[in-house]
Amino acid sequence: MSASSSSLCGGDPAMRSVVWFRRDLRVEDNPALAAAARAGGEVVPAYVWSPEEEGPYYPGRVSRWWISQSLKHLDASLRRLGAGKLVTRRSADAVVALLQLVRDTGATHVYFNHLYDPISLVRDHRLKEMLAAEGIVVQSFNADLLYEPWEVVDDEGQPFTMFTAFWNRCLSMQYDPPAPLLPPKKINSGDLSMCPSEDLIFEDDSERGSNALLARAWTPGWQNADKALTAFLNGPLADYSVNRKKADSASTSLLSPHLHFGELSVRKVFHLVRMKQLVWSNEGNHAAEESCTLFLRSIGLREYSRYLSFNHPSSHERPLLAHLRFFPWVVNESYFKIWRQGRTGYPLVDAGMRELWATGWLHDRIRVVVSSFFVKVLQLPWRWGMKYFWDTLLDADLESDALGWQYITGSLPDSRELDRIDNPQFEGYKFDPHGEYVRRWIPELVRLPTEWIHHPWDAPVSVLQAAGIELGSNYPLPIVELDAAKARLQEALSEMWQLEAASRATMNNGMEEGLGDSSEVPFPEELQMEVDRQRAQATANVVMTVRRREDQMVPTMTSSLNRAETEVSADLGNSEDTRAQVPFHAHFHPRVEREDMIQNTEGPALRINGTHQHNIFQQPQNHRREALAPSVSEASSSWTGREGAVVPVWSPPAASGHSETFAADEADVSSRSYLDRHPQSHRLMNWSQLSQSL
DNA sequence: CGCTGTTTCGC
DNA sequence: CGAAACAGC
C-alpha cells in the first residue's frame, strides 16, 4: 500500500479509511463515520450511485431528487468537519466501484453501516469477502435500527412472526438501544488528488421543473431532518393520538423520507420521544403519553419491516403465507391505470391517488385505503401497487412498503383478513368527515355537499346537477360495485384454496414443486416497454428534452398550485398515462442477475459443513449458527460489539430472493411451518373448508 | 349505573 | 382470534 507517503496527518500515518455512505446520509450518530474518525487516520468519505443494482426498484424521480439534495448537504457537513469532499462514483456495480476506490486511495480500512434489503444483504456480503481477500479491514455497524434483527428473538431463540410480539420484546429488551453518537469533532482529510470523483446525475431536463417544486415543500439533509424532528416533538407529537386519523397530513411527523435516507437516526428519535413520554407521564398527561406510544409503534413498524426483510428476503415479491400464492389476481391493466389516475369513482380513493401522483406524499391511513381498494376491490396483483408506490412516493422504502402491502393482502400471519373489504364510503366519513380532503384533490366534486361527498352515486339528481356533476361523464361511477367485488373475492378465495389443495396433493405425490405461483405476475406490458425505452435512453445517454407537464408535482396547500393541480386533473381523462416516466432501470435482466448473485455469494460463509445452504435466512437454526459463530479468520468482516459479543457476518440469501430453489425452500420450510404456527392461518383454513363445501 | 352480549378492529 | 369499544338491559 502506498500509505507510507501520507504522513502529514495526525493519527496513524499508515492508515487511510474509506467510509461508504449509503442510506445513512448523516454525520451525527453515524457509527461507521465515528469509527473511521476515531481510528485517527485519513478518512475518505464516499458515495456510489449504482441504481442498476436495484433491479426493477430503480429509485423514482422524487427519491432521486432527495438523494441529490441530501448528498450536497452531507458533503458540506463533512467539509466543515475537516474532511475533503465526498468522493462520488457512478457504477453499475457498487462492489467494483468500492474496490477501485480502495485501490485509488490506498485505503486499508472500509467502514459502512448495515442495510437489510435483499439486494444489500447479498452485495454487502460480497463486498466484505472481496475486500477481505485483498487484506482490507472491513467493519460494519448498525445505524438504521434500534436492535439488529438477530438480537430480537422469542424465548426459544426463534424470530418473531407477529408484529405485536416483536415490538413488545423490543420495548422490554434487557438493554436499551445504543445512545446516539455525537458527530465526530474532526475528520482528517487525506490527499484526494489521486482520487477523482465522478459526476452523478439524478435528474434529466424533463424532471427539473417538477423537482424545483419539490424543494418548496421539503428540505432534505440531516440537519433539516433534525429540525423536522424537533418541530414534531414540540408540536404535533402531543396530539398524535387524537389527530392521526385525519387524512390531511397536518399531524403526521413527515419524518419518513428523512428516516429512509438515514438523515435521521431512529435511535435519536426513539430516545427523544421516550424522554417526552416520561415528562408527560409524570405530568399525568395521558393523551400525550399515549401519543408517544403510538408514534413509537410506527417506528416499530419500520423496525419490523427490516426484521421481516432480513428473515424473509423475498418478502417484497412473495407472500409469506403460502396459500396466498394461489390467489387468482385480476390481471387488468386498465383497472390499474384507472386506479393510478384516481378515476375509480370512490372519492376517498381517487383523492388519495391524485395526491400521491401530484405530490409524492400520502397520509398513512390513505395508503391503507388505496392499497386495500387495489387488492380487495380491484383484486389487482399487489406487487403492481407496491411498484407504483415505489415509483411515486417520496419516502419509498422497499422494506416498509413490502410490509404494508403484505399486511393489506392478508399474507402475513397478523394481517387483516383478505375477505374483509373496507368500504371507502365509511372510511371517507371516518378520515375525512367534512369532505375537505376529497374536495382538495377532486375539483370535480368541490360543490358536492358533505352528505354525499363520499358516495356521489347515491346523491339525488337535483343535488348532482346543482353541483355540476354528471356521473359517468365528469366524474366516474364506481368502477366496481362493492357487492360485486365481495362476490368476486369469495370466488377468488375458494379458487385459491382449491389450487392450494391441488398443489399440496401434487407435492405429496413426490413432485418437487407445486403448481404455479400467482405472485409472479409480471409487471404490466406498458411498464415493461417503459423499461426498454429507459434502457435505450440510458445506453445512448440521451437527455430527454420533452417537458412532461403531467409529472408529479409538489405537496402543497397553496391555492395557486391547487389551481395548477386542477388543470392537471382535468387532463387525466384523455392524457395517456405518463406516470410511467419515473425511470425503470436500464439494464435489468432478472435471470442473469440472479445467476450472478448465486455465483457471487458462493463464498465460504455460505458453506456450512461443506453443504451449500440455499437460503440461510429461511432456516433459523442455520441462520443462527451462521450468525453467532463468525470465525476468527473472518474478523475483518465482523466486529466486536456491545459487551464484547461478536456481531455476525452478513449471511445473505443465495439469490436476490426469488430463485426457484428458494421458492421450494420457502414453500416447504418456511411458509408451511409459518402457516401452522399461526392462529389466523387456522382461521383462514376453517373458512376455506367452509367455502369449499359450498 | 354496572353487567354482558355484540360489533368492531387490528400492521 | 381476542381486546376493546359499544349497545342494551
Side-chain angles (χ1 to χ4, degrees), chain A residues 18-25 44-54 59 67 71 74 86-102 110 112 115 123-124 127 196-202:
Chain A
V18 168
V19 177
W20 183 25
F21 284 92
R22 294 105 65 86
R23 291 196 290 276
D24 50 353
L25 304 178
V44 179
Y47 184 85
V48 180
W49 174 239
S50 53
E52 288 79 8
E53 288 183 348
E54 313 297 327
I67 297 170
L71 286 177
L74 177 69
L86 180 66
V87 176
T88 52
R89 292 282 165 97
R90 177 72 179 86
S91 173
D93 184 336
V95 171
V96 170
L98 250 296
L99 286 168
Q100 187 58 47
L101 185 63
V102 165
V110 171
F112 64 88
L115 294 174
R123 186 216 316 109
D124 295 352
L127 175 68
S197 272
E198 290 163 4
D199 283 341
L200 305 185
I201 297 167
F202 292 101

Side-chain angles (χ1 to χ4, degrees), chain A residues 64-79:
Chain A
R64 282 180 281 112
W65 172 80
W66 193 289
I67 297 170
S68 71
Q69 301 301 302
S70 194
L71 286 177
K72 282 181 200 157
H73 188 96
L74 177 69
D75 181 47
S77 296
L78 289 167
R79 286 171 197 247

Side-chain angles (χ1 to χ4, degrees), chain A residues 521-541:
Chain A
V521 181
F523 291 126
E525 189 70 18
E526 63 180 305
L527 301 186
Q528 292 299 331
M529 288 170 68
E530 188 65 23
V531 173
D532 294 337
R533 214 184 79 208
Q534 291 292 339
R535 180 182 301 155
Q537 252 178 48
T539 309
N541 202 17

Side-chain angles (χ1 to χ4, degrees), chain A residues 296-452:
Chain A
L296 286 178
R297 176 193 296 262
S298 68
I299 295 291
L301 282 167
R302 181 182 174 283
E303 296 274 309
Y304 191 59
S305 72
R306 272 74 179 148
Y307 190 78
L308 208 65
S309 175
F310 179 81
N311 288 305
H312 304 275
S314 71
S315 63
H316 63 303
E317 341 199 54
R318 319 191 71 229
L320 285 193
L321 293 180
H323 55 262
L324 255 297
R325 292 177 196 165
F326 300 98
F327 188 88
W329 298 107
V330 173
V331 179
N332 183 327
E333 292 179 28
S334 130
Y335 274 12
F336 186 34
K337 182 183 282 189
I338 287 168
W339 176 79
R340 278 177 294 171
Q341 294 179 336
R343 295 190 294 117
T344 67
Y346 291 91
L348 187 65
V349 174
D350 292 342
M353 293 311 294
R354 294 190 197 182
E355 180 184 19
L356 170 60
W357 189 72
T359 69
W361 182 260
L362 210 49
H363 188 285
D364 181 54
R365 293 281 156 163
I366 307 301
R367 294 181 197 207
V368 173
V369 169
V370 299
S371 54
S372 167
F373 186 86
F374 184 94
V375 166
K376 299 182 181 195
V377 177
L378 301 179
Q379 290 160 43
L380 292 168
W382 62 274
R383 292 184 57 237
W384 292 9
M386 192 183 88
K387 176 70 168 69
Y388 184 70
F389 270 24
W390 173 263
D391 289 342
T392 52
L393 277 171
L394 197 61
D395 60 359
D397 181 288
L398 197 56
E399 295 95 309
S400 290
D401 291 342
L403 173 64
W405 282 89
Q406 291 236 24
Y407 165 69
I408 293 298
T409 315
S411 32
L412 294 174
D414 47 355
S415 299
R416 66 171 75 178
E417 294 89 338
L418 183 51
D419 63 332
R420 197 165 71 201
I421 292 189
D422 303 299
N423 187 326
Q425 176 184 338
F426 299 158
E427 309 216 291
Y429 286 107
K430 215 185 301 174
F431 303 138
D432 180 33
H434 309 298
E436 289 155 5
Y437 179 71
V438 163
R439 290 194 195 91
R440 178 176 315 136
W441 292 108
I442 312 183
E444 301 95 293
L445 301 182
V446 81
R447 295 170 63 195
L448 192 63
T450 304
E451 189 184 355
W452 308 108

Side-chain angles (χ1 to χ4, degrees), chain A residues 343 354 357 441-444 564-573:
Chain A
R343 295 190 294 117
R354 294 190 197 182
W357 189 72
W441 292 108
I442 312 183
E444 301 95 293
E565 174 55 22
T566 307
E567 286 167 26
V568 172
S569 304
D571 251 25
L572 282 173

Side-chain angles (χ1 to χ4, degrees), chain A residues 1 16-18 44 101-110 136:
Chain A
M1 305 277 144
R16 185 176 286 171
S17 332
V18 168
V44 179
L101 185 63
V102 165
R103 290 190 197 111
D104 289 354
T105 56
T108 54
H109 291 64
V110 171
I136 307 295

Side-chain angles (χ1 to χ4, degrees), chain A residues 177 179 187 271-272 280 288 292 311 341 378 392 465 473 518 520 589 593 627 658:
Chain A
I187 298 172
H271 282 112
L272 289 177
W280 282 326
C292 293
N311 288 305
Q341 294 179 336
L378 301 179
T392 52
Q465 263 174 0
S473 170
S518 67
E520 303 214 330
H589 306 293
E593 222 164 77
H658 56 182

